[in-house]
Every structure is written in C-alpha cells, then in structure tokens.
C-alpha cells in the first residue's frame, strides 16, 4: 500500500540529523530550502555542513537527549544499530523519523522532489523502484513550463487583488482559472508580464464578468 503524500510546513521547525557523512549532507540539502532549523549530530561531520547557515553542528556521539526540542528526526548513519536506536528513541518521543535505506523503521519517507519557486512536486514508488521515481521526475520536469516559478510568483501577487475585486466566490474562481491559463501562456519573466495580467483583471472587472 503506498504512503499517503502530505505537505508539511517546516519553516522554523527543528530537525535533528544523526550522521555527518554524504548521505546526511544530501538529506540536509533536501530539507534546507523549506526553512527548518537543522541540527547535525555526529563525531565526524563533513566540513560542507559548516557552509550551510541553517545548520548547527554538534560534533559528538548521539544521545537521546539530542531529541529534546526537535520536531523531526533523520537517522543517516552507516550503522544499522545506531539508526535503529534513533528510530526507537524518536518513537518514544512521538517524533516523525526517517531512517535512510530502512523503510521498516521509517515514520515518513523522502520522495523524489521537483521544486521550482513555490511549486513542489513529490514522487514516490513506496520504495518499489527508485529508478522509476527518478525517470518519472525527469519526465515531469520536462513537461513543466520553463517559467512556471515566475508564473506562480505572479499568481501569488495577484490573488489578493482578485479577492478584493471579486467578492463572489464563484466569480472569483472563474477569474482565477482564466488568469492561471493566461499567465502560464505568457512569459511572466518579461518586464511587462505583471502589467499585462493586471490589465486583464481590470478589463474583466469593467465588463462585470
């Protein structure tokens, strides 16, 4: 049975990563764009972590006390027994935990992700075929409009204006649907992209549509 996909706000959340090697670094880099406070615990820590402003490095052996104040845990060492202990400790504290390459110990998984501005697409095969997930990721990325991040930025800026101009929910939905189609068709990166979309809203408003 596949895992349920759920998007979680990680901004300002505290995430513990146990492990200091390349796998732990990969997990940290996957998490960093989403705004959490990252804490890395391991006796030996890759110096690349020191260049990540969101990371607090603790060069020490893991202990259960490291879980205090955490909202999420990632066990990313090459020691199965240690990873299992981290998972067990996280369970006692009712903390969601991911254990690298051990799905039976995981409370959540890292899916294959595509991020473009405010867009985030998650892909998971529930561990059945990571190769298939990578292939699907590439296919989806190729199918996305080249300016999708800029287009979403335009829609994010315009949404409050549309809500103020169109108080009726059904009317507002029609306008937003129309705008979405138009914005995705134009190059929102152009200097006049916002102006053209704003003019479209005003024209629709003047017509009472």
């Amino acid at each position: 049975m596949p895992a349920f996909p759920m998007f979680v706000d990680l901004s300002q959340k505290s995430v513990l990563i146990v492990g200091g090697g390349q796998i732990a670094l990969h997990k940290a880099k996957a998490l960093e764009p989403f705004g959490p406070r990252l804490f890395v615990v391991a006796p030996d820590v890759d110096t690349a972590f020191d260049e990540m402003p969101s990371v607090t490095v603790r060069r020490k052996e893991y202990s259960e006390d490291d879980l205090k104040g955490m909202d999420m845990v990632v066990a990313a060492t090459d020691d199965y027994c240690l990873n299992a202990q981290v998972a067990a400790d996280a369970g006692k504290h009712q903390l969601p935990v991911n254990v690298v390459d051990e799905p039976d110990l995981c409370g959540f998984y890292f899916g294959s992700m595509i991020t473009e501005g405010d867009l985030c697409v998650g892909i998971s095969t529930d561990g059945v075929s990571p190769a298939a997930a990578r292939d699907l990721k590439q296919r989806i990325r190729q199918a996305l409009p080249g300016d999708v991040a800029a287009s979403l930025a335009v829609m994010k800026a315009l949404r409050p204006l549309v809500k103020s101009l169109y108080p009726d929910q059904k009317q507002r939905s029609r306008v937003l649907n129309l705008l979405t189609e138009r914005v995705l068709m134009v190059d929102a990166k152009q200097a006049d992209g916002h102006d053209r979309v704003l003019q479209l809203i005003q024209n629709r408003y003047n017509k009472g549509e």
Side-chain angles (χ1 to χ4, degrees), residues 3 12 56 68 117 160 178 202:
Q12 300 304 306
T56 298
K68 291 179 180 178
L178 173 65
Q202 193 61 52

Side-chain angles (χ1 to χ4, degrees), residues 11-31:
S11 58
Q12 300 304 306
K13 294 293 192 297
S14 296
V15 180
L16 175 68
I17 300 177
V18 181
Q22 285 297 306
I23 295 176
L25 182 62
H26 175 73
K27 297 299 184 184
K29 288 183 175 180
L31 289 165

Side-chain angles (χ1 to χ4, degrees), residues 26 111-115 121-123 130-144:
H26 175 73
S112 185
M113 290 186 294
I114 299 171
T115 55
V121 179
I123 305 162
R134 287 192 296 270
D135 180 71
L136 290 169
K137 174 181 177 178
Q138 184 63 27
R139 291 170 184 260
I140 293 171
R141 186 181 292 280
Q142 291 173 351
L144 291 174

